[in-house]
Amino acid sequence: MADQGSLPPPGEFKGYTLNEFQVQAAAAIEAGENVLVAAPTGSGKTLVAEYAIARALRLGRRAIYTSPIKALSNQKFRDFRAEGQRVGLMTGDLTLDADAPLLIMTTEIFRNAVFEDPGRFADTECMVFDEVHFVDDVDRGTVWEESLIFAPPHVRFVGLSATIANLQEFGGWLRSVREQELVVIEHQKRPVPLSHRLFHPDAGVFQLAQRSRALAFHERAAARGSRHGTRIGRRERERARWGDRTERAQNRRIAVGPRPYQVLLDEVQQRQLLPALYFCFSRKECEIKAERSMHRRLLDRAERQRMQDLFDEICTRFELDPAADPGLQGILGRALQGVGFHHAGMLPIHKEVVERLFTSGLLRLLFTTETFALGINMPARTVVFDLLRKFDGVQMDYMKSRDYLQMAGRAGRQGLDRSGLVISILEDEDLREAPLSRYHSGKVEPITSRFNLSYSTILNLYDRLGGKGLLDAYDHSFAAYQAATGSAATRAKKRAAARAALLSRVQILREAGYLDDRTLLPRGKVAQRINGYEIQATELLFSGVLERMDLHQLAATFTALIHQERRRAELHGHRREPGPLMQETTAAVRRFVAIELLHGVQTPLKEPDWGIAAAVDSWSRGGSVDDLERLAHTDAGDVVRTLRMAVQMMRQVRLQVGKGEVLAARLEEAVVAINRDVVDARRQFELG
């Protein structure tokens, strides 16, 4: 039955004529039902979320919009604010207007808020889970499950996803954990269809049906090269392609001429298939390829002037001084040629500038990593894949179809292009081995539960539900639902294994002094109120080491809890010996790690990583961005992201210390010292 105040679903919303699946979703929302929508990128899923939000606000109630990444949360915040909506934002970087009727937050923040104070959602009508297929994410998927299971029962939800192979199974689980009826909607048609092509230097651009012909071209070329002694192997081709200069030193005969990707981009440019997004799985490759494309001059004189004017306007808005910022000068230099790069290692404000330049349509060729494709609505005429393999955390392997389609889905601009063009550059072995049919067919992998209760979740559930209620949590998980398809013996075995793992973690917390047989102990109550790295922070608080630190040491310590080196092999000779307080800090965390190891935990708690301690110390004393990057020996964007997280963490710990304490005052001083200039996320938002 429809809720009081419900209206018939409209044919139009926000100036758009709703298509069939959007009308179906709107009808379900008006009826007070939960909705799960799976549809291709760019097909209009977001409009369904916006309809649910508009209905909640019309009823005088609140709406929550959750997303997996801060960039998407930030974009939605700006979109709603641009419409004149009062909107709040809560991410790991900052909190803005947390009492607003519409609140945008990352999924982790929502999950933590549900455990901290479920009563705060009493007036919340609906929550939107954007990219809900992140349930399948190995590291973070459990957060989505926990959010869906433990969100207040009265709250309706709208789940948005790319195509899911086991959509009905996922929907069946959602029906089992949420009170309202669920409507599952699957839409497979893109408003702008995709056209897939392949490229190999021996065969040029070809279609999948011509794969065997392309392979024959390659084999003939390889045979000719072998006879004449000029053919290079795959490793040599990769080195030439990636810019490795060792070939010349080894006196190898290398094929002369432009690199394969340059040949392809020449053709894309000649056929007027720009703008293009060129996806690389390496930050450095994005930068190298952008610099090697500066000769293209993709803008005419009038467009160059428009680009300059737009750049000046953005810099004025954000109070940026390009003359004092070499990074901004580089962005402008590339942009005036119609070229750019974008990746997570850039300073947040630099990424912001590039994104705004790209939305103008004047940035014709953008080299970027896969994060650019996640939720951010910035389509192009063409998408190019530099490689079809990427590092999966263990080895280089072919990417999942879901990842391919997420990025490929950025091809094709609605209202501008009849179709979006997707071109994959193939290595020699890809001609035989790459799962091209799977990519081009649109078939994706089923999603799998990653349910794995964190210490924070265990503490919160133990406090609310006790030991038995905690053990029952597994029975509500998607993992338990998926296991229910096996035999009774298999189900019992999986349930026993899951409960044993949970009991082991409870026992670790018991031995570490966080809980007893009945309730949480002081350590547990403190950890319960800290979101992220809660065990490490609690161990430091109870060890007493923080009281003996000055503000600079506190800043370095909290960043060390968060920081994890990306390229440890490149840091020859840069690390200094940790001082006494650093050693004591590490020892405090290792107290808990030792208990984990005794219980056979395969991946114990993260220990402090002091790799950027010198950079943080310099920054807290007033150092420059150049000093920050030079001393950190890593991308400035990574350091800024860590500093922003450290600011939030120190604020949470300060609340646990209590007003009037010396440590609380010193933590606030540390926050003020590092939360300035490019680190100050609030200032960036207020200006933008």
Side-chain angles (χ1 to χ4, degrees):
M1 180 179 292
D3 289 350
Q4 187 177 5
S6 297
L7 297 173
E12 289 192 359
F13 178 66
K14 288 191 171 182
Y16 295 98
T17 300
L18 300 185
N19 61 30
E20 184 179 347
F21 90 83
Q22 291 167 333
V23 169
Q24 185 183 355
I29 290 166
E30 288 293 349
E33 296 170 328
N34 294 323
V35 178
L36 174 62
V37 178
T41 303
S43 59
K45 295 189 295 290
T46 303
L47 209 59
V48 173
E50 292 175 358
Y51 186 87
I53 290 167
R55 174 182 178 273
L57 300 180
R58 187 179 76 231
L59 295 173
R61 293 173 63 76
R62 301 182 76 201
I64 308 290
Y65 193 112
T66 74
S67 79
I69 59 171
K70 295 172 190 173
L72 182 52
S73 297
N74 295 347
Q75 184 189 21
K76 297 312 300 181
F77 175 84
R78 292 193 186 93
D79 290 347
F80 284 113
R81 190 171 64 172
E83 295 176 359
Q85 184 67 251
R86 182 189 168 195
V87 54
L89 179 71
M90 293 180 70
T91 68
D93 288 343
L94 77 165
T95 297
L96 299 173
D97 197 1
D99 296 322
L102 170 57
L103 191 57
I104 314 294
M105 52 175 55
T106 55
T107 313
E108 278 87 352
I109 298 291
F110 174 76
R111 188 274 313 269
N112 295 337
V114 164
F115 285 143
E116 276 178 27
D117 182 16
R120 70 186 296 179
F121 298 105
D123 60 349
T124 298
E125 175 67 18
C126 76
M127 56 184 182
V128 175
F129 284 92
D130 207 349
E131 311 286 355
V132 73
H133 56 270
F134 253 72
V135 162
D136 190 58
D137 185 79
V138 173
D139 295 321
R140 302 168 60 205
T142 187
V143 173
W144 271 255
E145 284 196 53
E146 293 168 25
S147 298
L148 287 162
I149 294 168
F150 299 112
H154 69 275
V155 178
R156 274 75 167 167
F157 92 91
V158 175
L160 307 179
S161 174
T163 306
I164 297 177
N166 53 337
L167 182 65
Q168 295 303 325
E169 179 188 40
F170 186 56
W173 170 67
L174 289 170
R175 288 188 180 98
S176 73
V177 295
R178 304 302 303 169
E179 288 188 357
Q180 297 80 20
E181 180 53 48
L182 171 74
V183 175
V184 177
I185 300 170
E186 186 169 20
H187 180 73
Q188 297 181 337
K189 184 179 179 182
R190 282 177 51 90
V192 183
L194 295 181
S195 178
H196 300 268
R197 295 292 185 273
L198 305 161
F199 174 80
H200 187 277
D202 294 334
V205 177
F206 62 97
Q207 297 185 37
L208 180 58
Q210 300 168 307
R211 186 179 194 172
S212 58
R213 184 165 170 261
L215 183 57
F217 278 137
H218 162 61
E219 289 173 344
R220 283 200 292 272
R224 284 196 304 271
S226 180
R227 283 197 302 272
H228 297 293
T230 58
R231 182 68 183 177
I232 60 173
R234 181 183 69 81
R235 289 179 64 84
E236 287 72 30
R237 182 195 296 281
E238 271 189 4
R239 284 173 175 158
R241 182 171 183 257
W242 287 69
D244 196 321
R245 299 177 180 175
T246 56
E247 300 297 333
R248 190 176 302 163
Q250 294 172 357
N251 271 333
R252 297 205 184 192
R253 299 180 65 184
I254 312 173
V256 178
R259 293 172 173 84
Y261 79 90
Q262 292 174 327
V263 174
L264 173 61
L265 290 179
D266 288 343
E267 187 169 347
V268 168
Q269 181 180 347
Q270 183 181 350
R271 295 194 179 191
Q272 298 183 337
L273 297 172
L274 299 173
L277 287 173
Y278 190 112
F279 284 106
C280 303
F281 296 127
S282 158
R283 297 176 181 182
K284 186 57 67 178
E285 274 306 294
C286 290
E287 297 178 10
I288 290 171
K289 285 183 167 60
E291 291 300 327
R292 287 179 178 162
S293 298
M294 290 285 283
H295 67 282
R296 295 191 177 278
R297 300 182 66 86
L298 303 175
L299 305 183
D300 60 28
R301 182 177 295 180
E303 290 169 333
R304 285 168 62 87
Q305 186 58 54
R306 283 167 52 204
M307 179 66 86
Q308 179 71 62
D309 293 344
L310 177 59
F311 179 82
D312 292 343
E313 179 188 320
I314 294 170
C315 288
T316 299
R317 167 172 288 203
F318 286 99
E319 300 178 2
L320 303 174
D321 180 9
D325 187 337
L328 278 177
Q329 294 169 25
I331 289 171
L332 176 61
R334 290 183 292 273
L336 291 175
Q337 308 303 319
V339 176
F341 66 76
H342 181 285
H343 59 68
M346 299 171 67
L347 287 171
I349 190 61
H350 289 177
K351 287 195 295 181
E352 179 92 28
V353 172
V354 172
E355 288 164 13
R356 296 197 178 211
L357 294 177
F358 186 77
T359 55
S360 72
L362 291 170
L363 206 57
R364 301 288 160 75
L365 182 57
L366 183 66
F367 296 89
T368 184
T369 51
E370 61 189 309
T371 53
F372 193 82
L374 196 63
I376 301 175
N377 185 26
M378 295 188 187
R381 170 70 182 86
T382 301
V383 160
V384 179
F385 285 94
D386 189 52
L387 287 171
L388 292 177
R389 298 172 187 261
K390 69 173 186 175
F391 188 66
D392 62 7
V394 179
Q395 61 185 356
M396 289 289 289
D397 200 0
Y398 289 110
M399 74 178 89
K400 290 182 176 180
S401 295
R402 189 185 303 121
D403 296 336
Y404 172 88
L405 291 170
Q406 185 93 45
M407 289 176 269
R410 292 298 162 212
R413 298 160 298 172
Q414 198 164 353
L416 293 174
D417 305 318
R418 289 188 194 174
S419 67
L421 179 62
V422 185
I423 309 173
S424 301
I425 300 177
L426 303 184
E427 294 293 323
D428 294 351
E429 63 268 35
D430 296 338
L431 286 168
R432 297 184 181 86
E433 301 172 9
L436 302 175
S437 298
R438 178 156 50 87
Y439 293 154
H440 291 197
S441 70
K443 293 179 180 178
V444 297
E445 304 81 6
I447 58 174
T448 303
S449 173
R450 308 294 181 179
F451 192 68
N452 180 28
L453 294 180
S454 65
Y455 289 123
S456 173
T457 302
I458 290 171
L459 289 168
N460 278 287
L461 291 179
Y462 195 88
D463 189 34
R464 288 170 53 193
L465 307 174
K468 186 179 184 306
L470 177 61
L471 288 174
D472 289 341
Y474 168 77
D475 296 332
H476 296 291
S477 71
F478 187 36
Y481 188 87
Q482 289 188 305
T485 57
S487 66
T490 301
R491 292 198 303 273
K493 184 177 180 181
K494 288 183 177 179
R495 187 170 188 263
R499 289 196 163 208
L502 190 51
L503 284 170
S504 176
R505 294 171 84 83
V506 170
Q507 184 59 28
I508 290 169
L509 288 167
R510 182 178 283 112
E511 292 180 18
Y514 284 71
L515 49 81
D516 60 19
D517 292 337
R518 291 176 291 111
T519 188
L520 298 185
L521 299 175
R523 263 188 166 92
K525 290 178 180 177
V526 168
Q528 185 187 24
R529 300 187 188 100
I530 299 173
N531 301 324
Y533 305 95
E534 62 281 345
I535 300 296
Q536 292 95 324
T538 301
E539 290 298 304
L540 297 189
L541 270 174
F542 279 79
S543 73
V545 67
L546 297 179
E547 277 84 353
R548 287 178 278 120
M549 293 184 179
D550 61 27
L551 71 93
H552 310 294
Q553 292 166 330
L554 286 170
T557 295
F558 280 91
T559 52
L561 295 184
I562 298 162
H563 174 66
Q564 192 151 15
E565 200 60 64
R566 295 183 73 248
R567 299 186 296 264
R568 207 173 285 277
E570 296 180 13
L571 296 177
H572 302 301
H574 292 315
R575 288 180 177 272
R576 64 182 186 184
E577 282 296 312
L581 288 176
M582 288 180 174
Q583 293 177 25
E584 199 172 328
T585 297
T586 300
V589 175
R590 283 179 178 168
R591 184 192 83 89
F592 193 95
V593 171
I595 298 170
E596 288 185 305
L597 294 174
L598 285 174
H599 284 267
V601 173
Q602 295 295 313
T603 308
L605 212 64
K606 177 193 171 298
E607 296 183 12
D609 184 332
W610 302 98
I612 60 170
V616 174
D617 183 77
S618 169
W619 181 256
S620 68
R621 297 176 189 276
S624 67
V625 174
D626 289 342
D627 295 333
L628 193 66
E629 192 161 29
R630 176 176 55 81
L631 292 169
H633 307 289
T634 190
D635 292 331
D638 291 330
V639 185
V640 168
R641 190 161 51 251
T642 300
L643 285 168
R644 287 181 173 183
M645 292 173 68
V647 165
Q648 293 290 78
M649 195 174 174
M650 285 191 285
R651 284 173 173 162
Q652 291 180 51
V653 172
R654 179 173 56 83
L655 290 175
Q656 302 312 307
V657 172
K659 292 181 180 179
E661 297 292 331
V662 173
L663 176 57
R666 210 167 287 151
L667 283 167
E668 183 56 34
E669 291 172 359
V671 166
V672 171
I674 65 175
N675 192 35
R676 60 180 176 83
D677 301 336
V678 295
V679 177
D680 188 349
R682 178 183 290 271
R683 180 173 178 273
Q684 183 175 332
F685 261 84
E686 289 172 346
L687 292 173

